[in-house]
Amino acid sequence: MSPSKTAAASSTPSTSPSGSAQETAPSSGGEASASASRKAPTITERTLPAGALAQNEQNEQGQGDQKKKNETENTAVLLPVYTLSNGQKMATALSPSGNIACEIYVDRAQCSVLSLSESAPHVPGQVGVPGWSYAVNTQGAVYDTQLAQAPLATLSDTRGQVLQYGTRAGWSQFELLSEETGMTLRDTRTGHGATFNRDGITTF
């Protein structure tokens, strides 16, 4: 079945972090090589919450007015939400440069800095690649995912929404803020998260 996008702003809790296909597929390298070496997840359903189309139309109509508001406050946008073959739902986002890719699940969210993966240390015998992808879960833990493949937000079947600078977006209890200085991922309930840019990743 062809991939589906669903504009949404909230969800209900479901699965645990261990169920993510994103964190287990073995490969290495940057965005291009990893994308070519792994199979994109299968999208199993096409859903559209009531009122989503109206919300999108309102966002488009108000886009001109919101440009002025961006000077003093951040604009909230809707993210595409995908249903994966294992039943998990996931929202995805990208920075304007495409260098930062983020995936938000019900119980956790993570962002990856693609340029950092090129210089990430590789330890013989170690499956994961540390230092370029971090996550925060609903318990407030912030940790290195040691992601070993291209982020799902960079794949054509689960492509992320580009968040222009000065834009924020969220799903589940997680929020993203895109700025010229980088991307900030935050758990809105615990306040924990991380900031991501070309120079590195800072957790808080």
Side-chain angles (χ1 to χ4, degrees), residues 87-194:
Q88 280 190 310
K89 290 187 181 295
M90 173 190 70
T92 58
L94 293 168
S95 65
S97 67
N99 188 44
I100 303 173
C102 301
E103 296 86 34
I104 303 178
Y105 300 87
V106 172
D107 55 2
R108 73 194 185 284
Q110 63 190 56
C111 290
S112 309
V113 183
L114 303 184
S115 59
L116 294 180
S117 69
E118 300 171 0
S119 58
H122 177 70
V123 179
Q126 179 175 291
V127 176
V129 180
W132 71 291
S133 178
Y134 272 72
V136 57
N137 62 25
T138 52
Q139 285 73 48
V142 183
Y143 56 94
D144 189 338
T145 69
Q146 298 193 18
L147 189 64
Q149 78 251 3
L152 295 182
T154 65
L155 303 181
S156 59
D157 286 346
T158 49
R159 192 79 178 174
Q161 169 71 42
V162 175
L163 299 184
Q164 299 300 331
Y165 300 132
T167 299
R168 68 172 66 245
W171 192 65
S172 184
Q173 65 186 60
F174 303 100
E175 182 180 68
L176 295 168
L177 173 61
S178 176
E179 300 176 291
E180 292 186 14
T181 54
M183 186 82 75
T184 299
L185 166 63
R186 185 176 69 92
D187 182 331
T188 59
R189 296 182 185 176
T190 67
H192 293 295

Side-chain angles (χ1 to χ4, degrees), residues 58-60 62-78 162-170 175-178:
Q58 290 173 3
N59 285 347
E60 291 175 1
Q63 188 173 11
D65 295 337
Q66 289 296 339
K67 289 181 179 179
K68 295 181 179 179
K69 284 189 176 182
N70 283 348
E71 298 177 0
T72 57
E73 62 180 348
N74 298 301
T75 302
V77 300
L78 300 175
V162 175
L163 299 184
Q164 299 300 331
Y165 300 132
T167 299
R168 68 172 66 245
E175 182 180 68
L176 295 168
L177 173 61
S178 176

